[in-house]
Structures are given as structure tokens and as C-alpha cells.
């Protein structure tokens, strides 16, 4: 069965970027520390990255994050979705209007202008099709940014929350949780490595 999984790195004080993020500074000041684990050689970090990438049937992201990854300093042939694994699932972007052009033309992009619910529904269709082709269950991954993941949690669209808790305090930046809607979580897994703590919760 295809699940909707929010998968994102976060600081100890709840930020998914550092201060002043933008197209040329996607993770904000100091935000690179959030993703140290994705380039780590720790076997547990590599396993978490590989498993998360391998289960991705489709990926949802917001327009601001799209502008970062598709920008001139964004993804390339060596670093992309899945960091060094550079996987190529279908990507669904929630946006007010499609971009005039796309740099990463080798990736499968769908731009949804009718809201987050429709974007998740479109991604589910793509993931289910990918699951049928692969012969095993694949999921929809909400990769961010923080506002997209937070809105999906508030809307009750998320089945699983996968956090990569980095040992850094950023002080400010893009918050993951704005406290709009309380959610009950059931902890399923905890994996501690030299760079991060990987946490998985079912969202009730």
C-alpha cells in the first residue's frame, strides 16, 4: 500500500533551514549542518538514505524548494534527490503557477496549481503506477520545504513522519512546526549515528 511519508531533516530547535534561506542559499546560514548525515559514510546513515530513496515512488515539494533544486547551484549529475544516489522518481511541485522553463529537463516534473491536496493525490497516482511497474509497494515522499510538510501534517495528509534530527541549534530559519493542528504520533524507530538521530513516527 502506498503511504504518504514526510521525510525531512530538522535542527534540535525545530528548523529545516538556517536564517535567510533563498534560491542561492537554499538551506540558509548554517543549514548545511542539517544534511551532514546524507553525505556520511556511517553505515546506518547510508542505510537510511538508501531505504528512503528506494521507497520513493513519487516526491512532493513546494515551489520555493523547486526553485532551489532547479536553480544554477541546485542538483546536478552527482548530487540530487537521494544526495549521492541521485534517484529519479516522479516529482510533483505545488505552485501558484508553473515555471517558464526547467533546467533539470531529465527529471519527470508535474506542476500542480490547485493546491496541496491535489498535488498529493497526483503523486499518489504516480507512486501507485510506479509500484505496479516495480512489483513492490512504493510511497509518496513529502521532501519539503518546511511549509509544505507542515501544511500536509496540519491537513491530515501524512501517514508517516520521518525526521533526521541533527545535533545543531540554528536559532532561527524555516520552522517545521507552527503548532496549527495538534497531532498524536506513535514512535516506531530510533537510530542514532555519529551525525544524526533518525526518527520514524506513525501519524494518527
Amino acid at each position: 500500500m502506498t503511504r504518504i511519508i514526510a521525510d525531512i531533516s530538522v535542527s534540535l530547535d525545530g528548523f529545516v533551514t538556517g536564517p535567510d534561506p533563498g534560491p542561492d542559499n537554499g538551506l540558509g546560514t548554517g543549514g548545511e549542518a542539517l544534511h551532514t548525515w546524507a553525505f556520511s559514510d556511517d553505515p546506518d546513515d547510508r542505510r537510511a538514505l538508501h531505504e528512503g530513496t528506494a521507497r520513493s515512488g513519487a516526491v512532493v515539494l513546494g515551489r520555493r524548494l523547486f526553485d532551489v533544486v532547479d536553480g544554477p547551484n541546485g542538483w546536478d549529475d552527482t548530487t540530487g534527490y537521494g544526495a549521492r544516489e541521485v534517484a529519479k522518481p516522479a516529482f510533483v511541485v505545488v505552485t501558484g503557477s508553473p515555471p517558464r522553463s526547467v533546467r533539470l529537463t531529465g527529471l519527470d516534473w508535474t506542476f500542480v496549481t490547485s493546491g496541496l491536496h491535489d498535488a498529493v493525490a497526483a503523486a499518489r497516482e504516480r507512486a501507485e503506477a510506479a509500484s505496479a511497474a516495480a512489483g513492490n509497494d512504493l510511497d509518496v515522499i513529502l521532501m519539503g520545504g518546511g511549509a509544505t510538510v507542515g501544511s500536509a501534517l496540519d491537513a491530515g495528509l501524512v501517514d508517516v513522519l520521518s525526521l533526521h534530527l541533527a545535533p545543531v541549534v540554528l536559532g532561527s530559519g524555516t520552522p517545521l512546526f507552527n503548532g496549527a493542528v495538534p497531532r498524536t504520533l506513535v514512535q516506531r524507530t530510533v537510530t542514532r549515528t555519529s551525525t544524526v538521530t533518525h526518527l520514524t513516527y506513525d501519524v494518527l
Side-chain angles (χ1 to χ4, degrees):
M1 181 179 71
T2 294
R3 302 169 298 171
I4 310 300
I5 301 177
D7 190 309
I8 197 164
S9 298
V10 62
S11 68
L12 288 176
D13 51 348
F15 295 103
V16 298
T17 75
D20 303 317
D24 296 324
N25 187 29
L27 292 173
T29 303
E32 294 84 0
L34 297 173
H35 294 271
T36 299
W37 72 272
F39 299 92
S40 164
D41 290 324
D42 185 298
D44 287 327
D45 287 332
R46 300 301 301 160
R47 185 179 306 109
L49 184 66
H50 176 74
E51 291 176 355
T53 304
R55 73 177 179 234
S56 302
V59 176
V60 176
L61 62 158
R63 178 56 186 269
R64 290 181 183 176
L65 182 54
F66 167 79
D67 287 342
V68 171
V69 302
D70 194 57
N73 298 315
W75 290 347
D76 57 27
D77 290 338
T78 59
T79 302
Y81 181 72
R84 290 178 290 184
E85 299 202 9
V86 196
K88 296 183 178 181
F91 294 95
V92 178
V93 181
V94 189
T95 181
S97 61
R100 295 179 181 178
S101 63
V102 175
R103 179 178 65 86
L104 297 170
T105 55
L107 299 180
D108 180 356
W109 297 104
T110 299
F111 298 93
V112 175
T113 60
S114 51
L116 181 58
H117 282 79
D118 287 346
V120 171
R124 186 189 291 276
E125 289 182 5
R126 301 300 299 273
E128 288 174 346
S131 296
N136 59 279
D137 289 336
L138 299 173
D139 298 314
V140 172
I141 307 299
L142 304 179
M143 69 172 285
T148 299
V149 171
S151 295
L153 284 166
D154 289 346
L157 297 174
V158 177
D159 299 314
V160 177
L161 177 61
S162 177
L163 296 179
H164 311 284
L165 186 64
V168 60
V169 175
L170 293 173
S172 64
T174 305
L176 178 57
F177 303 112
N178 288 311
V181 179
R183 291 290 171 201
T184 299
L185 308 178
V186 177
Q187 190 174 81
R188 293 304 184 195
T189 64
V190 179
T191 304
R192 299 176 182 87
T193 75
S194 59
T195 62
V196 77
T197 302
H198 303 284
L199 302 163
T200 303
Y201 301 91
D202 288 341
V203 182
L204 302 184

